[in-house]
Amino acid sequence: MSEDRDRGRWNILVRMTRARKTRRPSGSSRPGRWALQDAKARFSEVVRRAKTEGPQRITVHGREEVVVVSVEEYRRVKGQRMGQALVQVLQNSPLRDITIDHEPTYAPVRGVEL
């Protein structure tokens, strides 16, 4: 009787581990899409693919949560012209020749006992 019970437990355990499998075979997964645990385990590959193949989407519980992109793509999307654009606006301003006079203000310093 205990042998049948052990065999039954074994079958349940085998079914549970097979049902929990979330990875797809590498050939059938969508390119550029990684489950979080796979991305963590193969982070160097995720980074390399982001540089060579484009954005890599990271999923958590099947939902896309973050995207890993190359720095070139990030700069392109973000538009890191902000500093240059600000300089250009200030240089082309009709008020560029105005000087602002200001006197420094000094705040009192409190004494500290050591």
Side-chain angles (χ1 to χ4, degrees), residues 28-44:
S28 69
S29 64
R30 295 191 326 197
R33 185 176 167 111
W34 301 78
L36 178 61
Q37 62 271 19
D38 294 336
K40 285 169 47 177
R42 298 165 58 191
F43 189 68
S44 295

Side-chain angles (χ1 to χ4, degrees), residues 21-62:
K21 221 175 203 183
T22 57
R23 289 187 191 184
R24 297 178 187 171
S26 60
S28 69
S29 64
R30 295 191 326 197
R33 185 176 167 111
W34 301 78
L36 178 61
Q37 62 271 19
D38 294 336
K40 285 169 47 177
R42 298 165 58 191
F43 189 68
S44 295
E45 185 177 351
V46 173
V47 170
R48 182 184 56 76
R49 286 190 181 188
K51 289 175 67 175
T52 59
E53 298 174 13
Q56 302 294 303
R57 291 162 179 79
I58 311 297
T59 63
V60 177
H61 302 297

